[in-house]
Amino acid sequence: MAKKPLDQIEFRKGTTIGKIKELMAHHDTQALAEEIYHRFMERFLIPLKSVPVHRRHGFFTMANCCLLVEAVQRYRQGLKDEKAGKKEQIYANFFRDFPGFSIDAESAKELYHTLRSGVLHLGETKGWLIHRKGPIIDFEDKTINATAFQRQLERSLRAYRDELKRKKWASPEWQNVVVRLNGFFLYSDLNYEHSAR
């Protein structure tokens, strides 16, 4: 089977990388902000929300949310790939940038090393209890409300989209997005050879 050219690969449903490059060439910040927002929604939050609430496990919710936190912050900071940036600091920066979670920098780093790393690498919570009631997070009791966390994450994603729509193309916010998108294009190329980099 022939490999698709890079520009024909989907960025999200109905939008190709070629279309994203075209929007970038025209500095169409409004449309690009929407495309990025819908890519994240389509890949993370819509599938999560499609599971009936009574069957939506808190562990699954938090695994999904932990991935999305990192993905969004890599756009915000202009990190080309998974090697760029100190991962615990990426987490701290996300919660600094989105204060609705009420998580300070040191607590964010603790969350990275315990809950996030436990869920994604060990299939465990590393001492955390995930539930669906109470405050978003309680570091003293080590409890996290997966439903509230998900809702706050969705609000944060909308806030990021709206922030990008207000910014000019030459702004640091958009230049960071360009760096991340260029990294995405590189790794999405079906002819990409990891050993050649």
Side-chain angles (χ1 to χ4, degrees), residues 22-140:
E22 183 183 316
L23 294 173
M24 291 170 72
H26 290 96
H27 302 174
D28 191 340
T29 56
Q30 300 298 302
L32 275 168
E34 284 294 332
E35 291 294 342
I36 292 165
Y37 169 77
H38 286 293
R39 176 179 166 82
F40 284 137
M41 287 297 296
E42 178 181 287
R43 292 185 172 220
F44 294 92
L45 295 174
I46 290 172
L48 180 60
K49 291 161 66 168
S50 72
V51 177
V53 174
H54 69 281
R55 298 193 62 204
R56 197 179 308 159
H57 199 284
F59 189 94
F60 167 68
T61 301
M62 287 311 303
N64 195 301
C65 289
C66 286
L67 288 170
L68 183 54
V69 163
E70 241 170 282
V72 169
Q73 195 61 24
R74 287 183 180 283
Y75 272 77
R76 291 183 63 78
Q77 291 182 223
L79 301 175
K80 179 181 171 184
D81 59 30
E82 78 283 359
K83 296 174 196 155
K86 191 171 182 184
K87 292 178 181 163
E88 69 172 16
Q89 192 59 50
I90 292 168
Y91 252 62
N93 293 346
F94 177 87
F95 293 111
R96 174 203 65 207
D97 294 347
F98 297 106
F101 291 90
S102 299
I103 299 174
D104 63 38
E106 287 310 307
S107 298
K109 289 176 184 179
E110 176 189 337
L111 193 65
Y112 173 83
H113 287 290
T114 56
L115 181 70
R116 177 262 183 212
S117 292
V119 166
L120 296 182
H121 298 300
L122 301 173
E124 302 169 1
T125 62
K126 288 177 93 172
W128 283 85
L129 177 63
I130 300 171
H131 56 80
R132 297 195 170 278
K133 60 185 179 207
I136 290 179
I137 195 160
D138 184 328
F139 281 91
E140 188 174 321

